[in-house]
Amino acid sequence: MNLIVTDFDGTFYDKNYDKNIELIKKYNNIDFVIATGRNFTSLKKDLKINCKYYICNDGGYILDNNYNLLYRNSINKETVKTIHSRIIELGYDYFFDNINTFSKDIVNNINKISIKIKDNNAEEDMKYILNELNDVYAYISTNWINILSIDSKKGNAIDYISKLNNYKNIYVVGNDINDYDMLKKYNGYFISKKESNNFNTIKCFLELKNIIKND
């Protein structure tokens, strides 16, 4: 059995979404997993394919194909309090992600903190928010500063899945900064945003299909 793990937005979920789904359904001898920065509530709205597992919040947690929680990394509550005070000080809007709920309240088991970018100081402010906090990391996406537990990475989540299954090969596909970890760890295919309009994702899945067929 082989494993294919793909990022969702901008990779599997693009203008060729339905074609990508058709391709994956033609594969033999694979488990298919989506690894996304979204939480599962958001992912499920656009989901049209069943997966073996769902890696959400950039590896913050994993659900099985029946949507049962298998694995979870939460941000330390004291760290959340420190980050919260700095967010308020800087005047950012934000929300806490607790698997399937969004809140501004500090509760247990927060998996991700999303801070709405308001100006060009996001990089500098991110460094201030994280100052002397060693148990979290952050990255900037188009509209958000995203903060997670240091262990919440897509590659770590794939490690967990691989221990549950005897996969012959593991292949990963992604297109953005939050995919770099899994792309480095495994047989990664990076989908260039510049080439996405040229069916680059489809070409990638076709290539993988041939590789797996010949293994």
Side-chain angles (χ1 to χ4, degrees):
M1 182 67 72
N2 297 284
L3 174 66
I4 294 180
V5 181
T6 179
D7 170 55
F8 194 61
D9 292 293
T11 305
F12 193 66
Y13 181 61
D14 60 9
K15 73 173 187 177
N16 304 306
Y17 185 34
D18 290 334
K19 292 182 180 179
N20 292 334
I21 291 171
E22 288 174 12
L23 273 174
I24 289 297
K25 287 182 176 180
K26 292 178 181 178
Y27 277 61
N28 295 313
N29 195 33
I30 70 153
D31 282 344
F32 182 67
V33 171
I34 287 173
T36 179
R38 299 194 196 190
N39 74 3
F40 188 67
T41 299
S42 174
L43 174 64
K44 198 172 181 181
K45 293 176 183 178
D46 295 309
L47 200 58
K48 295 183 181 180
I49 187 170
N50 295 323
C51 299
K52 177 76 172 183
Y53 303 103
Y54 305 90
I55 297 172
C56 299
N57 280 358
D58 293 310
Y61 62 94
I62 303 171
L63 303 178
D64 67 15
N65 60 343
N66 293 314
Y67 312 151
N68 297 309
L69 181 65
L70 297 181
Y71 164 103
R72 182 175 192 167
N73 284 310
S74 299
I75 303 172
N76 179 278
K77 194 169 183 177
E78 292 304 313
T79 299
V80 173
K81 291 178 181 177
T82 299
I83 292 171
H84 179 256
S85 65
R86 293 173 181 176
I87 293 171
I88 297 303
E89 176 187 343
L90 293 171
Y92 277 99
D93 191 18
Y94 68 95
F95 65 83
F96 298 134
D97 194 332
N98 184 13
I99 293 194
N100 290 322
T101 60
F102 300 112
S103 172
K104 292 186 181 296
D105 299 323
I106 299 174
V107 297
N108 293 323
N109 296 319
I110 290 171
N111 290 99
K112 187 175 185 178
I113 302 171
S114 296
I115 305 167
K116 182 70 173 177
I117 293 173
K118 62 179 180 178
D119 52 38
N120 295 324
N121 296 322
E123 187 81 33
E124 182 178 342
D125 290 343
M126 181 178 71
K127 291 178 181 178
Y128 172 71
I129 291 169
L130 296 184
N131 186 43
E132 296 186 355
L133 297 175
N134 299 318
D135 58 343
V136 289
Y137 76 99
Y139 69 90
I140 296 175
S141 56
T142 304
N143 297 308
W144 302 92
I145 300 172
N146 306 275
I147 301 177
L148 303 106
S149 162
I150 197 69
D151 295 319
S152 293
K153 296 178 181 178
K154 293 181 180 182
N156 290 346
I158 298 171
D159 290 345
Y160 181 87
I161 289 171
S162 69
K163 291 176 182 177
L164 300 178
N165 303 270
N166 186 26
Y167 290 119
K168 183 179 180 182
N169 297 294
I170 298 174
Y171 302 95
V172 300
V173 186
N175 79 322
D176 217 333
I177 187 171
N178 58 330
D179 299 316
Y180 289 174
D181 174 69
M182 69 174 183
L183 290 169
K184 290 177 182 178
K185 274 191 171 184
Y186 294 94
N187 298 300
Y189 286 74
F190 183 76
I191 305 300
S192 169
K193 292 180 180 180
K194 293 180 181 179
E195 297 179 24
S196 61
N197 291 329
N198 295 322
F199 299 90
N200 202 27
T201 307
I202 287 177
K203 290 178 183 178
C204 175
F205 287 133
L206 284 171
E207 181 179 344
L208 279 180
K209 191 173 188 295
N210 290 328
I211 290 171
I212 292 172
K213 180 180 179 181
N214 294 324
D215 276 342

